[in-house]
Amino acid sequence: MRSTLDLDATSQEQETTYVRTVSAFFEFDHPPEAVWPLVANTDRMNRAAGMEDVEYTHEPSADGGSLRYGKSGNLQWLEHPYEWEKPHYFRVAREYSQGMFLRNLVEFLLTPTPRGCRLEFRFSYTTRKALMSPLLALGMKLRVFPG
């Protein structure tokens, strides 16, 4: 597996918050169909990212269906429905009521290559405090590339 990380893909100030996108790229010698079950397992990916276990609750929505709320550590959020096309991509957006984030969008994109596939991981987030944004980006760099 070969990998790269781009910490400065996108960043912009918006009033009192700070928006940033962190991207990481990984090359695999396996086709997307073989890699998909690993990246689509969100519990496994959360653990790999160092998150505590997630507790979910569901409440009826006034528009029909239900709302899904998540909690992990001191973070609490409304989780929007996942979007995916197997084995090409999936993404999920979260809006936070508690914790350092206001919102985030997590995306995994698998692209076939002659040797297997390329995985692009994108994590776009808005923090409550501007100082948190670069600190989170550095923390992600240390977790994704600890060596």
Side-chain angles (χ1 to χ4, degrees):
M1 177 179 75
R2 297 160 302 286
S3 59
T4 59
L5 178 69
D6 180 5
L7 290 179
D8 297 315
T10 306
S11 60
Q12 61 188 17
E13 293 196 39
Q14 291 185 343
E15 298 177 21
T16 60
T17 61
Y18 199 76
V19 179
R20 183 174 290 243
T21 297
V22 176
S23 297
F25 304 87
F26 304 90
E27 299 285 334
F28 294 96
D29 295 332
H30 304 284
E33 295 79 9
V35 176
W36 175 263
L38 302 174
V39 298
N41 182 334
T42 56
D43 289 336
R44 178 187 179 120
M45 297 304 286
N46 286 342
R47 282 192 301 277
M51 287 183 65
E52 297 177 26
D53 287 342
V54 177
E55 297 175 31
Y56 287 105
T57 59
H58 298 83
E59 294 180 11
S61 171
D63 299 334
S66 62
L67 300 172
R68 181 175 172 149
Y69 294 94
K71 180 179 181 182
S72 178
N74 70 338
L75 301 173
Q76 292 183 16
W77 63 88
L78 166 64
E79 188 160 285
H80 292 274
Y82 280 74
E83 299 175 40
W84 74 90
E85 182 182 336
K86 182 181 178 180
H88 305 291
Y89 78 92
F90 79 85
R91 64 179 153 245
V92 63
R94 293 175 172 172
E95 294 180 46
Y96 289 80
S97 59
Q98 183 176 321
M100 66 188 97
F101 297 109
L102 287 174
R103 65 191 62 82
N104 70 29
L105 175 66
V106 177
E107 300 175 280
F108 289 89
L109 300 98
L110 289 165
T111 307
T113 65
R115 293 185 61 179
C117 72
R118 179 178 198 233
L119 168 64
E120 179 180 358
F121 164 73
R122 286 193 296 230
F123 182 67
S124 303
Y125 58 91
T126 306
T127 56
R128 293 185 190 283
K129 307 243 185 245
L131 179 60
M132 291 304 301
S133 185
L135 292 175
L136 281 167
L138 178 61
M140 288 189 67
K141 178 181 180 186
L142 296 175
R143 282 198 175 151
V144 174
F145 299 99

